[in-house]
Coordinates of all heavy atoms in Angstrom, one line a residue:
L110 N 32.0 -23.5 63.8 CA 32.1 -23.1 65.2 C 30.8 -23.4 65.9 O 29.7 -23.2 65.3 CB 32.3 -21.5 65.2 CG 32.3 -20.8 66.5 CD1 33.6 -21.3 67.3 CD2 32.3 -19.3 66.4
V111 N 30.9 -23.9 67.1 CA 29.8 -24.0 68.1 C 30.3 -23.3 69.3 O 31.3 -23.8 69.9 CB 29.4 -25.4 68.3 CG1 28.3 -25.5 69.5 CG2 28.8 -26.1 67.1
A112 N 29.7 -22.3 69.8 CA 30.2 -21.5 70.9 C 29.1 -20.8 71.7 O 27.9 -20.7 71.2 CB 31.2 -20.5 70.5
E113 N 29.4 -20.4 72.9 CA 28.4 -19.7 73.7 C 29.0 -18.4 74.2 O 30.3 -18.2 74.1 CB 28.0 -20.5 74.9 CG 29.1 -20.8 75.9 CD 28.7 -21.7 77.0 OE1 27.6 -22.3 77.0 OE2 29.5 -21.9 78.0
F114 N 28.2 -17.4 74.6 CA 28.6 -16.1 75.1 C 28.3 -16.1 76.6 O 27.2 -15.8 77.0 CB 27.9 -15.0 74.4 CG 28.2 -14.9 72.9 CD1 27.4 -15.6 72.0 CD2 29.3 -14.3 72.4 CE1 27.6 -15.5 70.6 CE2 29.6 -14.3 71.1 CZ 28.7 -14.9 70.2
P115 N 29.3 -16.3 77.5 CA 29.1 -16.2 78.9 C 28.5 -14.9 79.4 O 27.7 -14.9 80.3 CB 30.5 -16.5 79.5 CG 31.2 -17.2 78.4 CD 30.7 -16.6 77.1
N116 N 29.0 -13.8 78.8 CA 28.4 -12.5 79.1 C 28.7 -11.6 78.0 O 29.4 -11.9 77.0 CB 28.9 -11.9 80.4 CG 30.5 -11.8 80.4 OD1 31.0 -11.0 79.7 ND2 31.1 -12.6 81.2
E117 N 28.1 -10.4 78.0 CA 28.1 -9.5 76.9 C 29.5 -8.9 76.6 O 29.8 -8.5 75.5 CB 27.1 -8.3 77.1 CG 25.7 -8.7 77.1 CD 24.7 -7.6 77.2 OE1 25.2 -6.4 77.4 OE2 23.5 -7.8 77.2
K118 N 30.3 -8.8 77.6 CA 31.6 -8.2 77.4 C 32.7 -9.1 76.9 O 33.8 -8.6 76.5 CB 32.1 -7.5 78.7 CG 31.1 -6.4 79.2 CD 31.6 -5.8 80.5 CE 30.7 -4.7 81.0 NZ 31.2 -4.0 82.2
D119 N 32.5 -10.4 77.0 CA 33.6 -11.3 76.6 C 33.3 -12.0 75.2 O 32.1 -12.1 74.8 CB 33.7 -12.4 77.6 CG 34.3 -11.9 78.9 OD1 35.0 -10.9 78.9 OD2 34.0 -12.5 80.0
P120 N 34.3 -12.4 74.5 CA 34.1 -13.1 73.3 C 33.5 -14.5 73.5 O 33.4 -14.9 74.6 CB 35.5 -13.2 72.7 CG 36.4 -13.2 73.8 CD 35.8 -12.2 74.8
E121 N 33.1 -15.1 72.4 CA 32.5 -16.5 72.5 C 33.5 -17.5 73.0 O 34.7 -17.4 72.9 CB 31.9 -16.9 71.2 CG 33.0 -17.3 70.2 CD 33.5 -16.2 69.4 OE1 33.2 -15.0 69.7 OE2 34.2 -16.4 68.4
V122 N 33.0 -18.5 73.7 CA 33.8 -19.6 74.2 C 33.3 -20.9 73.5 O 32.1 -21.3 73.5 CB 33.6 -19.8 75.7 CG1 34.4 -21.0 76.2 CG2 34.1 -18.6 76.4
Q123 N 34.2 -21.6 72.8 CA 33.8 -22.8 72.0 C 33.4 -23.9 73.0 O 33.8 -24.0 74.1 CB 35.0 -23.3 71.2 CG 35.4 -22.4 70.1 CD 36.4 -23.0 69.2 OE1 36.5 -24.2 69.1 NE2 37.2 -22.2 68.5
R124 N 32.4 -24.7 72.5 CA 31.9 -25.8 73.3 C 32.1 -27.1 72.5 O 32.0 -27.1 71.2 CB 30.4 -25.6 73.5 CG 30.0 -24.4 74.4 CD 30.7 -24.5 75.7 NE 30.4 -25.7 76.5 CZ 31.2 -26.3 77.4 NH1 32.4 -25.8 77.6 NH2 30.8 -27.3 78.0
P125 N 32.4 -28.2 73.2 CA 32.4 -29.5 72.5 C 31.1 -29.8 71.8 O 30.0 -29.5 72.4 CB 32.7 -30.5 73.6 CG 33.3 -29.7 74.7 CD 32.6 -28.3 74.6
F126 N 31.0 -30.4 70.7 CA 29.8 -30.6 70.0 C 29.8 -32.0 69.4 O 30.8 -32.6 69.1 CB 29.5 -29.6 68.9 CG 30.5 -29.6 67.8 CD1 30.3 -30.4 66.7 CD2 31.6 -28.8 67.9 CE1 31.2 -30.4 65.6 CE2 32.5 -28.8 66.8 CZ 32.3 -29.6 65.7
E127 N 28.6 -32.5 69.1 CA 28.4 -33.8 68.4 C 27.4 -33.6 67.3 O 26.6 -32.6 67.3 CB 27.8 -34.8 69.4 CG 28.7 -35.2 70.5 CD 30.0 -35.9 70.1 OE1 30.0 -36.5 69.0 OE2 31.0 -35.9 70.9
I128 N 27.5 -34.4 66.2 CA 26.6 -34.4 65.1 C 25.7 -35.6 65.2 O 26.2 -36.7 65.1 CB 27.3 -34.3 63.8 CG1 28.1 -32.9 63.7 CG2 26.4 -34.4 62.6 CD1 29.0 -32.8 62.5
N129 N 24.4 -35.4 65.2 CA 23.4 -36.5 65.2 C 22.7 -36.6 63.9 O 21.8 -35.8 63.7 CB 22.4 -36.3 66.4 CG 21.5 -37.5 66.6 OD1 21.1 -38.2 65.7 ND2 21.2 -37.8 67.9
K130 N 23.2 -37.5 63.0 CA 22.6 -37.5 61.7 C 21.2 -38.1 61.7 O 20.4 -37.8 60.8 CB 23.5 -38.4 60.8 CG 24.8 -37.7 60.4 CD 25.5 -38.5 59.3 CE 26.7 -37.7 58.8 NZ 27.4 -38.4 57.7

Side-chain angles (χ1 to χ4, degrees):
L110 181 69
V111 173
E113 64 185 8
F114 298 94
N116 57 67
E117 293 184 358
K118 295 182 179 180
D119 291 335
E121 75 274 9
V122 176
Q123 292 188 28
R124 298 301 301 149
F126 64 88
E127 298 291 339
I128 294 174
N129 188 322
K130 288 191 175 182

